[in-house]
Amino acid sequence: MTSMHPAAIAFRDPAALRDRCEIGGVRLLRGDPDHESGAVLPTGQWAPLSEDLPAQCAPSVFTKDSGLVEFFRAPATVTDEYSLAALVRVLGDPHPIPLGTTDDPSGEPVTHRLPETGLRPGLHIDSYQNLPYRERDTSRRRLCVNLGPGERYLLLATINIKSICRTLHDHYETHHPHTDDLRHFLAGGRRRLGVLRIRIEPGEGWIAPTAMLPYDESTEDQELPSATASWLGTWERGLFGPLI
């Protein structure tokens, strides 16, 4: 499977990344009343990471803090959304934006729903700030913690939205990237898209540039439900010890 501009993932041990991460393909979904038309979903066929993919995902000297995917284990004092909120308040951003909590059943290929419609968007980008192309990589990152009781997955596309916009638009410099750009990119058959599925255990969390990388979460293949709490913020890298 080919990819370009994969996610920049902070990790110490390639074997540890491969142990909790798989890669698969995606499909466009139409005519399903529970999803937006054209929603991008994983095919559900997962394979181990190739030996060289961790190196492709490793951050470079040019990776900004705002473009980095990080995984961490929450401190033992974090047991619920309230103790997590207290932690987030002291991480360095004086005005983190709370995104609320979710309580997802097991067996869901994608979990996110749009609050205004209740529909599932599939792989999508966050547009709370709705920054244009030139400023997109300065967007706040999303912090999310799995409060359990079950495991769940973070889904990350292997192509970022700025790369997609450069392919689609003649005047991409003034364009405001949108989830529809991902859908049009795939509908046009320009290139295959990969999606990473990264296991997140209870008490673990992630920080990711979700305004840049199409993403979702999943409880597929899990027996137990799981809850999350999420915030947007501007955080430096390395706030927690690395998980992998």
Side-chain angles (χ1 to χ4, degrees), residues 12-171:
R12 292 176 298 174
D13 182 0
L17 178 61
R18 290 196 300 269
D19 181 61
R20 66 166 61 217
C21 183
E22 301 167 291
I23 190 167
V26 297
R27 61 191 176 96
L28 288 169
L29 186 64
R30 302 188 187 278
D32 188 307
D34 197 40
H35 295 74
E36 285 196 311
S37 179
V40 179
L41 268 66
T43 61
Q45 298 176 331
W46 302 102
L49 293 189
S50 63
E51 291 288 328
D52 63 336
L53 191 55
Q56 294 178 35
C57 292
S60 74
V61 295
F62 302 106
T63 302
K64 301 176 182 178
D65 291 0
S66 60
L68 188 63
V69 180
E70 299 178 274
F71 300 96
F72 62 92
R73 174 162 288 281
T77 53
V78 172
T79 57
D80 54 30
E81 62 182 286
Y82 304 105
S83 53
L84 179 57
L87 173 67
V88 170
R89 285 195 293 269
V90 299
L91 291 182
D93 187 330
H95 304 293
I97 300 172
L99 300 177
T101 60
T102 69
D103 194 354
D104 299 310
S106 60
E108 300 286 349
V110 291
T111 64
H112 286 216
R113 289 186 182 271
L114 298 174
E116 59 271 23
T117 64
L119 296 177
R120 299 183 189 274
L123 289 175
H124 63 285
I125 56 170
D126 284 338
S127 293
Y128 293 95
Q129 294 174 271
N130 196 29
L131 296 179
Y133 173 93
R134 289 185 182 275
E135 302 171 34
R136 196 73 179 192
D137 56 3
T138 67
S139 298
R140 295 180 177 95
R141 288 191 292 168
R142 186 180 188 117
L143 180 152
C144 179
V145 172
N146 179 9
L147 299 173
E151 296 181 351
R152 60 195 293 123
Y153 302 99
L154 171 64
L155 305 175
L156 291 175
T158 56
I159 302 176
N160 70 48
I161 200 66
K162 289 185 72 171
S163 297
I164 289 171
C165 288
R166 287 196 298 272
T167 300
L168 290 178
H169 303 290
D170 292 334
H171 303 290

